[in-house]
Amino acid sequence: MSKSTGAFYGIDVSKDSLSIGMWGDPPVVEDLPNTAKAIRSWLKRIAPSSSIGMESTNTYHLLVARLAHEAGHRVHVLQPRAVNSYAKSLQVRGKTDQMDAVVIARMVAKEGPELRVWEPPTPLQDLLRRLSNARGGLVKMRSSAKLMAQSYKEFEAVFEEIEKALENGIETLQQTMNEHIKEDRQMSGFNKRVQGVAGVGPVVGTLLSSLFHTYPLTSPDAAVAYIGFDPRPRESGKWQGQRRISKNGPSEARRCLFLAGRAAMNSKAWASYVAVQERKGLSPTQIAIIMARKIIKIAWYMWRRPEMNFDPGRIQ
C-alpha cells in the first residue's frame, strides 16, 4: 500500500461502538456504532488514502480494519501496551475512549513511517488465529480450575470433571489446527521438520507454523520481538539495571515457547550449550528464555529454507 496522503485517525474499539479521533488542532472526535453500515458511511466521508490506527482486540477491531483496508486506507493495528506507553510519554491527563482515540491518531501521525501496515489475513490464517486464541483461552481456564481445586478441596470431584472437559476441548482444538495445517503444503512440511528441533513438540510446531504463515516476519530478531522475548536494556551512565524481556505480542505463544525452552534444557542436543549458560551464573528461567529465543530463530531459518533441518552439531 502506498504512503498515506490523507488525514490521520485513531479508533478506540469496543464491542458495540467506535470512538474516532482525527489528529489536528484541535482534534476532532466522533462516536459510531461498530457496524458495517456505519463504518462504510464514515469511510466515504474521510479523505482518500488516510492513515487509520486502532488497538488490537480479540476480534472487535477486525471489521473496521478490513473495511478501511478495502477502501484504500493505510491501516495500523497497534499493540495496547505500545499505545499505553505512548500515552504515558505524552502525560495525558485522564483516560476516556475519546482521549484514547486522539492518542492513537497522534501516534499514527507522528510515528506512522515506523508502524507496521496491517494486511487482512487469508481465510486459513484467520481460522488458525481464532483456533489458537480459543485454545489459549481454554488453557488459562484449565489453570484457573486447578488453582480453585486446591482452594476448595470439598469440591475436588467437580473440578476434576471441569478439568477433563477443558482437556478434551484443548485436544479437539489442537487436532483441528493440525488438520487445517495439513491443507497447506508449506505449513505441513515445516510443521514436520520443526518438530525435529529438540524441545519442540506438536503444540509448539503448530503454533510456529501458524505464526510464520500469518505474519511477514522479515528476520529472526523480528520473530523474537513479535513474540515478546526481545531483551530491553536499562542503562544510564555507569548504572546498569536488570534487562527484562518486552512481553509484547501474543502471551499464549510466549508461554508455549517458554515451556519449549525448558524442555530443550533437558535435551542431550542442547546439553553443552546449556552448560555454557549455567557457567555464566544464569538462573533456570533466564536460560529457558535464551533457549526459547534460539528455538524461534532456528525455526525462522527453517521456514525460509525448506531444505533445512535441525542439526544438533551446529548448536555451538
Side-chain angles (χ1 to χ4, degrees):
M1 185 178 292
S2 61
K3 185 177 180 180
S4 174
T5 56
F8 300 96
Y9 295 90
I11 304 178
D12 186 84
V13 182
S14 66
K15 179 180 178 180
D16 299 317
S17 63
L18 306 173
S19 290
I20 302 175
M22 184 180 74
W23 180 243
D25 188 17
V28 178
V29 181
E30 63 177 309
D31 295 320
L32 295 177
N34 192 0
T35 63
K37 181 178 179 181
I39 293 169
R40 287 194 176 100
S41 176
W42 172 70
L43 290 171
K44 290 178 181 178
R45 293 190 278 112
I46 68 175
S49 302
S50 290
S51 287
I52 302 174
M54 64 202 72
E55 287 185 344
S56 173
T57 66
N58 186 19
T59 58
Y60 302 146
H61 70 282
L62 293 176
L63 177 62
V64 63
R66 178 175 57 82
L67 293 177
H69 182 274
E70 291 176 356
H73 300 288
R74 186 182 179 92
V75 178
H76 303 284
V77 177
L78 310 171
Q79 289 290 338
R81 185 189 295 265
V83 175
N84 184 51
S85 297
Y86 190 78
K88 288 182 178 179
S89 73
L90 300 176
Q91 297 183 339
V92 177
R93 301 175 67 179
K95 180 176 173 58
T96 66
D97 293 345
Q98 291 78 13
M99 294 172 73
D100 288 347
V102 172
V103 167
I104 295 171
R106 176 170 177 171
M107 186 174 180
V108 170
K110 302 296 185 180
E111 314 298 333
E114 305 300 324
L115 301 177
R116 176 180 294 174
V117 178
W118 181 84
E119 294 290 340
T122 65
L124 178 58
Q125 290 171 345
D126 186 54
L127 177 61
L128 290 174
R129 181 191 61 81
R130 291 167 64 86
L131 286 168
S132 180
N133 288 348
R135 184 188 180 283
L138 292 186
V139 169
K140 291 180 181 178
M141 292 171 65
R142 181 185 62 185
S143 299
S144 297
K146 288 182 177 180
L147 290 174
M148 292 182 70
Q150 295 173 6
S151 301
Y152 300 96
K153 295 292 186 181
E154 64 271 30
F155 304 125
E156 187 174 1
V158 174
F159 285 111
E160 284 182 357
E161 290 298 318
I162 293 173
E163 286 183 43
K164 288 180 181 178
L166 291 171
E167 288 282 0
N168 291 334
I170 292 168
E171 181 63 26
T172 299
L173 291 174
Q174 183 64 40
Q175 291 178 355
T176 304
M177 291 179 69
N178 291 339
E179 291 170 1
H180 286 289
I181 282 176
K182 290 178 181 178
E183 298 174 3
D184 185 279
R185 184 175 180 180
Q186 185 183 16
M187 278 199 295
S188 178
F190 170 78
N191 191 30
K192 292 177 182 177
R193 289 184 295 114
V194 79
Q195 289 186 44
V197 178
V200 176
V203 172
V204 174
T206 301
L207 185 152
L208 290 170
S209 301
S210 175
L211 173 71
F212 292 134
H213 181 71
T214 303
Y215 299 100
L217 302 169
T218 56
S219 71
D221 288 335
V224 169
Y226 175 79
I227 295 174
F229 277 127
D230 51 321
R232 297 292 175 89
R234 299 176 68 232
E235 301 174 358
S236 179
K238 295 182 179 180
W239 177 81
Q240 291 189 351
Q242 184 179 8
R243 290 192 173 198
R244 300 182 184 276
I245 58 174
S246 69
K247 293 187 179 181
N248 289 326
S251 60
E252 176 62 11
R254 194 162 51 253
R255 184 191 71 84
C256 290
L257 281 155
F258 176 78
L259 294 177
R262 292 183 62 177
M265 290 172 62
N266 299 319
S267 168
K268 291 182 180 179
W270 292 98
S272 60
Y273 186 82
V274 171
V276 171
Q277 308 310 314
E278 290 175 339
R279 287 196 293 270
K280 295 177 182 177
L282 300 179
S283 69
T285 297
Q286 290 173 318
I287 297 174
I289 292 172
I290 291 172
M291 300 302 294
R293 283 201 289 262
K294 295 287 285 187
I295 288 171
I296 295 168
K297 291 182 178 182
I298 290 171
W300 185 88
Y301 281 110
M302 292 177 70
W303 174 260
R304 289 300 184 97
R305 302 173 184 175
E307 75 285 355
M308 180 180 173
N309 290 296
F310 176 65
D311 180 5
R314 297 184 62 186
I315 286 178
Q316 293 300 328

